[in-house]
Amino acid sequence: MKNESVVQKIWALCHILRGDGISYHQYVSELTYLLFLKIAEENEIEQLLPINYRWQDLVNHPKEGLLGFYQEMLTHLGASAESEVIRSIYAFPTTVFSHSENLHAVVEGIAKIAWHDVSGDRFGEIYEGLIEKSSQDVRSGAGQYFTPRALVNSMIRVSRPGLGDRIQDPAVGSGGFLISADRFIRSNCSEQSYRENPPKYQGVEIEKNTRRICLMNTFLNALDAEIIHGDALTDDGRGLGAASLVLANPPFGSKAGSRRALRADFPYRNTNKQLAFLQHIYLTLNDGGRAAVVLPDNVLFEDGAGRSVRQDLMARCSLHTILRLPKGIFPGAGVKTNVLFFRKQAGVATDGVWFYDLRTNMPAFGKTNALTDAHFEEFEHLYGADTGGATQRQEQGESGRWRRLSRDAIAERGDNLNWLWLRDESSDQEDEMQDPNEILIAIIGHLRSALGEIDALSSEVEAEDLQLKHVS
């Protein structure tokens, strides 16, 4: 049975609750409590849960009084479980069920699913599928965008996480990057060597419920993980140690309006979240550390703070590869993206950047045209075996997807990394700059950048005024 079929079966159970006036979002959140118990049983790690408060205890309880027992179970797991992670997962739990009959029907429905046929990251993929179903049904969007699995897999294959690595995601979401990295490591080493030198995982998540999902996910997959509830762009991010590998897809948008100050150690303070996350990532890498980060096009070409951040990145690190991603891989977000690969090593700056264009003359991807591992095969072959991009590489020329710009050539372009050389031959598409929507997006991007710089400057002036008043 495929994961999609499991998601559909679980989603069908929501009809039971509609009569109680329970929203889709509430239903999905409630399901995570139940699914965690069931998948802990399937993963054979439920011995870490308190006796008498496990999945079979819920299944075997008589329908009469089931809701009361379930409420007691949630409270016990949140207050008395031996594991700190379990207590965090079930901290201050509430249930949306009003009747034992409805709860019994949902528990029975989950128990009937053929879970042994579900492959891969069970909890994470099912949760993402439920969020997507919720978004479709309420027609308002779930507010969450998940990185396509094929892209995650490709980023990990070329980054090659290994034993002893400290792997971080400063915008961890449900933990997809961490889970996939751990699966890659386990598949390339013995169980004994993993136990002797396990990787360490860290993540930061600002949304409380999503952090809870990430805790569930990392626990069910037996990761040694610390998931901080907070904002990595503020002093919360100082709780992270130096990373040997960062894998991330930071959220799109602006930090304007937040009352919490950006970290003081950022060289270029700006309300653009992507620029702030990029600074956080290259500052947190240890010597020899590497990163693979999904960022929108505007990070490659914005002037002002954007240009300064790119210059700083290329001075501190070897930015060796940029993968230009296809359109449509983040449904509803309407953002064109890239993956930046860089390594931080003392005394080594960027001497040139290799570009792989996986967007030009490619179809737009979406539900009817899924992105797969096969789409990244050529890129991974050209990238080579060295995680820092030091493998001998050969240009494909003006008609190819794989080319290089020297650092001097980048400087001549005003440090603009949004390099386009292929002509889009798609018959159903016009040149990008002739599309009014694209022009509007570009204008908005420039305006947002300018407003962000004004906002950052205003904050600095206010801080200086307060300091002068304090001195006087």
Side-chain angles (χ1 to χ4, degrees):
M1 180 182 295
K2 295 181 178 180
N3 288 350
E4 293 82 357
S5 177
V6 171
V7 170
Q8 186 60 42
K9 287 179 178 291
I10 295 172
W11 187 250
L13 298 173
C14 76
H15 297 294
I16 296 170
L17 303 179
R18 282 177 175 163
D20 282 348
I22 295 172
S23 70
Y24 291 106
H25 177 73
Q26 289 175 310
Y27 173 66
V28 170
S29 181
E30 183 80 49
L31 271 177
T32 61
Y33 289 131
L34 298 170
L35 291 174
F36 176 81
L37 296 173
K38 175 57 180 171
I39 298 178
E41 178 189 63
E42 292 295 322
N43 286 9
E44 300 180 351
I45 60 169
E46 65 173 354
Q47 70 273 12
L48 300 174
L49 300 176
I51 296 175
N52 300 324
Y53 295 94
R54 299 173 180 175
W55 175 252
Q56 286 302 320
D57 299 302
L58 198 60
V59 172
N60 296 330
H61 196 282
K63 186 187 299 184
E64 183 74 23
L66 179 62
L67 180 57
F69 172 70
Y70 177 57
Q71 291 170 328
E72 177 190 340
M73 172 183 275
L74 295 178
T75 301
H76 183 85
L77 291 171
S80 304
E82 184 176 338
S83 167
E84 181 182 351
V85 175
I86 298 297
R87 294 197 303 273
S88 297
I89 288 171
Y90 287 94
F92 309 109
T94 57
T95 177
V96 297
F97 286 101
S98 302
H99 306 92
S100 291
E101 293 83 359
N102 286 341
L103 174 59
H104 181 268
V106 172
V107 169
E108 190 176 57
I110 292 173
K112 288 179 179 178
I113 293 172
W115 290 94
H116 61 276
D117 289 334
V118 180
S119 61
D121 171 12
R122 293 170 173 171
F123 189 85
E125 293 184 10
I126 290 169
Y127 173 69
E128 291 175 16
L130 290 170
I131 288 291
E132 183 180 6
K133 292 288 292 181
S134 175
S135 173
Q136 293 169 0
D137 279 57
V138 301
R139 299 179 182 276
S140 62
Q144 299 185 45
Y145 300 104
F146 298 99
T147 313
R149 293 283 164 166
L151 174 57
V152 172
N153 293 339
S154 183
M155 291 168 64
I156 286 171
R157 281 193 293 267
V158 299
S159 299
R160 301 191 66 80
L163 294 171
D165 265 332
R166 182 188 291 270
I167 302 169
Q168 291 179 3
D169 183 346
V172 72
S174 60
F177 275 116
L178 304 187
I179 303 302
S180 296
D182 192 71
R183 189 177 303 122
F184 178 90
I185 295 170
R186 289 178 187 270
S187 68
N188 286 282
C189 71
S190 67
E191 188 174 335
Q192 180 178 345
S193 60
Y194 186 96
R195 286 198 305 269
E196 292 174 351
N197 189 22
K200 305 290 184 183
Y201 297 96
Q202 289 185 309
V204 183
E205 176 52 46
I206 196 170
E207 205 278 317
K208 185 180 296 185
N209 188 56
T210 305
R211 182 214 179 218
R212 182 173 64 83
I213 299 302
C214 187
L215 288 172
M216 290 181 172
N217 213 2
T218 53
F219 181 88
L220 290 170
N221 286 277
L223 271 65
D224 180 1
E226 176 190 13
I227 309 300
I228 298 170
H229 178 223
D231 183 353
L233 304 182
T234 69
D235 284 338
D236 297 337
R238 294 183 181 276
L240 299 169
S244 57
L245 174 60
V246 176
L247 299 161
N249 179 10
F252 308 134
S254 168
K255 196 170 171 58
S258 174
R259 297 302 177 187
R260 301 193 63 194
L262 286 173
R263 295 230 312 264
D265 59 335
F266 287 173
Y268 304 98
R269 298 163 65 79
N270 187 273
T271 58
N272 183 317
K273 280 185 180 179
Q274 292 80 41
L275 294 178
F277 270 109
L278 181 55
Q279 291 178 85
H280 163 78
I281 291 166
Y282 66 70
L283 289 173
T284 200
L285 288 176
N286 63 17
D287 188 32
R290 61 211 188 277
V293 188
V294 180
L295 293 165
D297 279 10
N298 67 282
V299 171
L300 303 183
F301 63 76
E302 276 193 8
D303 290 328
R307 181 178 180 181
S308 297
V309 170
R310 292 192 299 274
Q311 290 173 334
D312 196 41
L313 167 65
M314 289 187 284
R316 293 173 184 258
C317 303
S318 171
L319 171 62
H320 53 80
T321 309
I322 294 177
L323 170 61
R324 187 173 170 84
L325 294 171
K327 300 175 185 177
I329 64 173
F330 297 104
V335 176
K336 295 178 182 178
T337 53
N338 314 266
V339 185
L340 274 61
F341 298 89
F342 50 92
R343 170 174 280 177
K344 188 176 184 179
Q345 191 170 347
V348 179
T350 302
D351 64 357
V353 181
W354 286 84
F355 295 79
Y356 187 85
D357 187 344
L358 192 58
R359 183 184 306 168
T360 307
N361 297 318
M362 292 289 289
F365 288 89
K367 289 185 65 64
T368 59
N369 183 32
L371 193 67
T372 68
D373 287 352
H375 290 108
F376 295 96
E377 285 180 355
E378 184 184 48
F379 165 71
E380 292 174 24
H381 172 72
L382 294 168
Y383 187 101
D386 187 86
T387 58
T391 301
Q392 188 69 30
R393 295 170 167 182
Q394 186 68 41
E395 264 219 21
Q396 291 183 338
E398 293 184 2
S399 61
R401 296 187 180 276
W402 184 238
R403 297 193 68 188
R404 180 182 186 272
L405 275 181
S406 69
R407 182 65 185 91
D408 288 341
I410 292 170
E412 290 174 3
R413 291 170 48 83
D415 296 307
N416 183 329
L417 293 170
N418 193 37
W419 186 32
L420 309 175
W421 68 89
L422 287 175
R423 177 177 175 79
D424 196 335
E425 303 294 342
S426 302
S427 58
D428 59 341
Q429 295 180 1
E430 298 177 346
D431 182 81
E432 286 187 328
M433 290 312 293
Q434 297 302 314
D435 185 339
N437 289 329
E438 295 294 335
I439 295 172
L440 181 59
I441 290 171
I443 292 172
I444 291 172
H446 287 298
L447 288 174
R448 183 180 293 124
S449 175
L451 290 172
E453 291 182 41
I454 292 171
D455 184 75
L457 180 61
S458 176
S459 298
E460 291 177 6
V461 171
E462 288 179 7
E464 289 176 2
D465 287 344
L466 287 172
Q467 188 175 9
L468 289 172
K469 289 179 181 179
H470 179 73
V471 172
S472 60

